[in-house]
């Protein structure tokens, strides 16, 4: 295996990274009770496990590359997708998490089953399984495979296989506990290496003052006017909440560490830690692109190469190997969390609920491991199939299509929790008919036929409009529904709130408002 990026010392450091990762994963797996559940780490996760796991699941190499590219071309404005998230992480901490933990659930489809009944649980279970396989596994592997193929010059199938084998090993061996413990190690490494890259880059530019002078002034503005094609402020303000509720509050891969919290206090502290970590997204991922613009803006033709250009030109031998260890860490973290979420939902919501209600724990764990294996094979096959289709940036296309999945999920969970009158028929309508409707609009938006002449709004604003349509439809269906079967909204847990978590969330809100004021 050869790479023009990597030399002998780089390979040695990469090997050390994998050795430490393996040791932590095995150690964490040994801490798991022999017959304990693989899925929720025996409700043992502390705040730092939760915070690093949620942040690590959110971080992928494609995010690093894309964020640096966005910083290179537009400045910090794309940081809205990181900083605005704190509102919805807080919603998870104080509205959703108390109800999830109070209901003592393993999966979010199980929660919706308590709210609306078994049919809703079945629909949402398969909905989640398909979403995890396509968005979290296949697309993450595709994006990571491109990067690894570029660096190590190996085929896509081999790139995907290596990543899946590493991730599946921890997931099958120790479940969520192994994934969470290795995430802490990997994210600390990510912060350290990315921060070194920023510091070295700022030193090369001549400091923060010199950087400000060398890039356009609008690179430091978070809110662009509505006339801006890429980042108009109103669509972001209205549209991101639809995506934010879905991603941070209702997605199994993101929420599962909170479900595994030792108690509500740890869950709320962990989500708060995630909120603080999201501030670093701009510093660690977007700022390198801005620095790259100041240093290499005249020579770099492809903004997507901004991150690797910084690494290649600023880091000495050895540090390059550490960077690729970090990029691998991002992939392993995301894929491991996704495999664990897939295994949990299929095993608990499909196998145990519908086929073997009385299954012993050893059998449940065995099925969970088999699902990890099958999910890994499916993800590799889909990754190779995506790579075989030429002439289309399928990663960007699929990411856009996934944006149209958010309105049904957000509408069902928000009305399901905040409006007791919402009925099962309304929820099932949004999850089935609503999903077909949103995906149809998404396909027409991405591939408009010649006969269709529509002046489409911004993508984020379109997502908001779809959400409003589904909410109105659900309200009408609920009010006219003759089925009087009434399901209770699961009550929030009554104990476990702490003054410390509330104080830290208030502090985070103050800091975020101050940051937005400063950068406008």
């Amino acid at each position: 295996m050869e790479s023009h990026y990597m030399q002998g010392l780089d390979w040695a450091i990469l090997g050390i990274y994998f050795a430490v990762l393996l040791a932590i994963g095995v150690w964490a797996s040994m801490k798991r009770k022999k017959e304990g559940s693989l899925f929720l780490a025996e409700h043992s996760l502390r705040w730092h496990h939760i915070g690093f796991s949620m942040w690590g699941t959110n971080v992928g190499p494609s995010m690093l590359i894309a964020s640096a590219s966005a910083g290179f071309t537009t400045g910090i404005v794309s940081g809205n997708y990181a900083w605005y998230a704190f509102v919805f992480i807080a919603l998870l901490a104080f509205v959703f998490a108390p109800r999830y933990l109070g209901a003592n659930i393993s999966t979010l489809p199980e929660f919706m089953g308590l709210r609306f009944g078994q049919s809703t649980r079945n629909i949402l279970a398969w909905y989640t399984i398909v979403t995890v396989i396509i968005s979290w596994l296949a697309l993450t592997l595709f994006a990571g495979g491109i990067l690894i193929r570029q660096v190590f010059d190996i085929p896509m199938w081999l790139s995907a296989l290596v990543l899946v084998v590493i991730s599946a090993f921890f997931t099958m061996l120790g479940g969520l506990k192994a994934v969470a413990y290795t995430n802490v190690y990997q994210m600390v490494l990510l912060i350290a290496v990315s921060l070194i890259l920023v510091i070295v880059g700022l030193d090369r530019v001549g400091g923060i003052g010199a950087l400000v002078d060398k890039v356009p002034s609008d690179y430091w503005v978070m809110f662009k006017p509505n006339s801006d094609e890429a980042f108009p402020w109103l669509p972001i303000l209205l549209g991101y909440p639809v995506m934010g509720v879905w991603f941070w509050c209702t997605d199994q891969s993101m929420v599962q560490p909170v479900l595994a919290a030792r108690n509500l206090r740890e869950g709320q502290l962990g989500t708060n830690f995630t909120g603080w970590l999201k501030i670093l997204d701009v510093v660690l991922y977007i700022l390198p692109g801005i620095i790259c613009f100041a240093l290499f803006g005249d020579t770099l033709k492809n903004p997507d190469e901004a991150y690797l250009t910084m690494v290649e030109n600023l880091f000495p031998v050895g540090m390059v190997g550490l960077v690729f260890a970090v990029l691998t860490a991002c992939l392993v973290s995301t894929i491991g969390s996704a495999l664990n979420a897939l295994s949990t939902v299929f095993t608990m919501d499909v196998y145990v609920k519908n086929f073997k209600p009385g299954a012993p724990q050893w059998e449940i764990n065995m099925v969970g491991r088999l699902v990890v294996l099958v999910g890994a094979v499916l993800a590799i096959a889909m990754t190779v199939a995506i790579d075989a289709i030429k002439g289309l940036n399928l990663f960007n296309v699929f990411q856009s299509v996934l944006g149209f999945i958010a309105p049904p999920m957000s509408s069902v969970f928000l009305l399901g929790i905040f409006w007791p009158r919402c009925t099962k028929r309304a929820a099932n309508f949004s999850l089935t008919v609503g999903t077909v409707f949103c995906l149809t609009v998404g396909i027409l938006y991405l591939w408009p036929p010649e006969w269709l002449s529509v002046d489409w709004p911004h993508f984020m604003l379109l997502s908001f409009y779809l959400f409003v349509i589904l909410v109105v439809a659900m309200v009408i269906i609920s009010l006219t529904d003759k089925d009087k079967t009434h399901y209770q909204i699961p009550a929030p847990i009554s104990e476990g709130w702490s003054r410390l978590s509330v104080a830290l969330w208030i502090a985070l809100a103050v800091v975020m408002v101050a940051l937005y004021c400063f950068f406008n």
Side-chain angles (χ1 to χ4, degrees):
M1 192 186 297
E2 296 182 358
S3 170
H4 73 276
Y5 290 99
M6 304 277 285
Q7 298 183 35
L9 183 59
D10 298 308
W11 285 110
I13 288 176
L14 193 59
I16 293 170
Y17 155 74
F18 279 119
V20 175
L21 181 68
L22 180 65
I24 294 174
V26 172
W27 172 75
S29 302
M30 292 172 63
K31 288 174 68 69
R32 186 180 67 84
K33 295 176 184 177
K34 189 173 182 181
E35 293 302 323
S37 171
L38 286 172
F39 308 127
L40 294 182
E42 294 125 11
H43 291 284
S44 63
L45 297 191
R46 301 291 304 276
W47 61 270
H48 52 287
H49 301 129
I50 296 167
F52 278 127
S53 288
M54 291 184 68
W55 192 55
T57 303
N58 181 219
V59 176
S62 57
M63 179 178 173
L64 290 176
I65 304 300
S67 296
S69 175
F72 185 92
T73 55
T74 60
I76 67 168
V77 63
S78 62
N80 277 296
Y81 297 114
W83 287 0
Y84 198 1
F86 91 94
V87 176
F88 309 101
I89 304 174
L91 193 66
L92 170 64
F94 293 109
V95 176
F96 288 91
R99 286 173 168 79
Y100 293 158
L101 295 177
N104 194 28
I105 56 167
S106 300
T107 70
L108 301 187
E110 182 183 357
F111 180 82
M112 282 289 106
L114 296 174
R115 174 63 179 92
F116 292 116
Q118 185 60 32
S119 62
T120 305
R121 179 177 181 176
N122 289 337
I123 293 169
L124 195 55
W126 286 107
Y127 189 106
T128 303
I129 288 167
V130 171
T131 303
V132 168
I133 291 174
I134 294 176
S135 63
W136 285 106
L137 290 176
L139 288 179
T140 301
L141 281 173
F142 177 62
I146 289 175
L147 180 68
I148 288 181
R149 182 172 59 186
Q150 178 183 350
V151 174
F152 300 120
D153 193 26
I154 60 177
M156 175 63 78
W157 69 268
L158 185 57
S159 303
L161 180 63
V162 169
L163 293 168
V164 162
V165 166
I166 298 168
S167 305
F169 172 78
F170 296 122
T171 309
M172 294 174 70
L173 186 68
L176 183 60
K177 179 168 282 190
V179 172
Y181 278 59
T182 52
N183 276 349
V184 173
Y185 159 64
Q186 296 185 112
M187 293 307 105
V188 169
L189 186 65
L190 169 65
I191 291 172
V193 174
S194 298
L195 195 57
I196 291 171
L197 182 63
V198 169
I199 292 171
V200 171
L202 283 174
D203 180 67
R204 181 71 66 88
V205 171
I208 295 176
L211 178 64
V212 171
D213 293 337
K214 291 181 179 180
V215 301
S217 58
D218 66 347
Y219 268 41
W220 308 106
V221 176
M222 289 296 286
F223 281 145
K224 295 290 181 78
N226 270 332
S227 57
D228 187 86
E229 289 187 8
F231 298 100
W233 70 269
L234 186 61
I236 291 175
L237 189 67
L238 297 178
Y240 183 82
V242 181
M243 297 284 294
V245 169
W246 166 59
F247 188 79
W248 292 106
C249 302
T250 75
D251 185 275
Q252 181 74 27
S253 298
M254 288 303 305
V255 176
Q256 191 149 329
V258 178
L259 301 183
R262 179 175 294 186
N263 50 46
L264 179 61
R265 179 180 183 273
E266 296 293 335
Q268 291 179 331
L269 289 174
T271 51
N272 177 262
F273 186 39
T274 305
W276 289 103
L277 288 171
K278 290 299 291 178
I279 295 177
L280 296 179
D281 284 13
V282 172
V283 178
L284 301 181
Y285 310 149
I286 296 175
L287 191 57
I290 300 175
I291 296 171
C292 185
F293 179 85
L295 291 174
F296 310 108
D298 295 333
T299 58
L300 185 63
K301 303 304 179 185
N302 183 2
D304 291 340
E305 296 176 0
Y307 190 85
L308 290 180
T309 298
M310 289 279 287
V311 169
E312 200 172 11
N313 285 278
L314 300 184
F315 273 175
V317 174
M319 281 299 294
V320 175
L322 206 52
V323 168
F324 289 119
V326 163
L327 294 175
T328 307
C330 295
L331 283 161
V332 171
S333 176
T334 302
I335 295 166
S337 299
L339 285 172
N340 191 67
L342 175 70
S343 175
T344 306
V345 171
F346 183 88
T347 305
M348 303 307 296
D349 291 311
V350 178
Y351 181 78
V352 173
K353 184 65 180 177
N354 294 319
F355 296 105
K356 200 77 176 289
Q361 189 62 53
W362 68 266
E363 183 178 338
I364 292 173
N365 287 348
M366 181 187 70
V367 172
R369 290 187 173 103
L370 286 174
V371 172
V372 169
L373 199 59
V374 173
V377 172
L378 279 174
I380 292 172
M382 290 185 64
T383 304
V384 174
I386 291 170
D387 187 54
I389 302 174
K390 306 299 181 183
L392 188 63
N393 190 335
L394 281 174
F395 179 74
N396 291 336
V397 169
F398 279 174
Q399 286 288 61
S400 300
V401 169
L402 289 172
F404 292 96
I405 292 177
M409 290 286 282
S410 296
S411 61
V412 168
F413 273 82
L414 286 174
L415 288 187
I417 282 184
F418 288 106
W419 191 39
R421 184 69 178 81
C422 186
T423 66
K424 173 178 67 176
R425 186 166 294 160
N428 291 353
F429 172 87
S430 186
L431 289 173
T432 54
V433 177
T435 298
V436 172
F437 169 65
C438 290
L439 290 180
T440 301
V441 172
I443 291 169
L444 293 175
Y445 175 86
L446 290 165
W447 298 288
E450 293 182 2
W451 53 265
L452 184 66
S453 178
V454 176
D455 186 15
W456 292 103
H458 187 275
F459 163 75
M460 298 295 281
L461 198 58
L462 183 57
S463 182
F464 172 73
Y465 291 154
L466 292 171
F467 170 76
V468 171
I469 291 170
L470 291 185
V471 168
V472 171
M474 289 179 67
V475 169
I476 294 172
I477 292 170
S478 296
L479 294 177
T480 57
D481 195 349
K482 295 180 180 180
D483 183 0
K484 300 301 181 183
T485 305
H486 183 66
Y487 295 91
Q488 294 289 334
I489 299 175
I493 196 169
S494 56
E495 69 279 343
W497 293 68
S498 73
R499 292 181 179 177
L500 176 61
S501 61
V502 173
L504 287 173
W505 271 106
I506 292 173
L508 178 60
V510 170
V511 169
M512 295 309 305
V513 170
L515 284 172
Y516 267 103
C517 291
F518 181 79
F519 286 105
N520 281 291

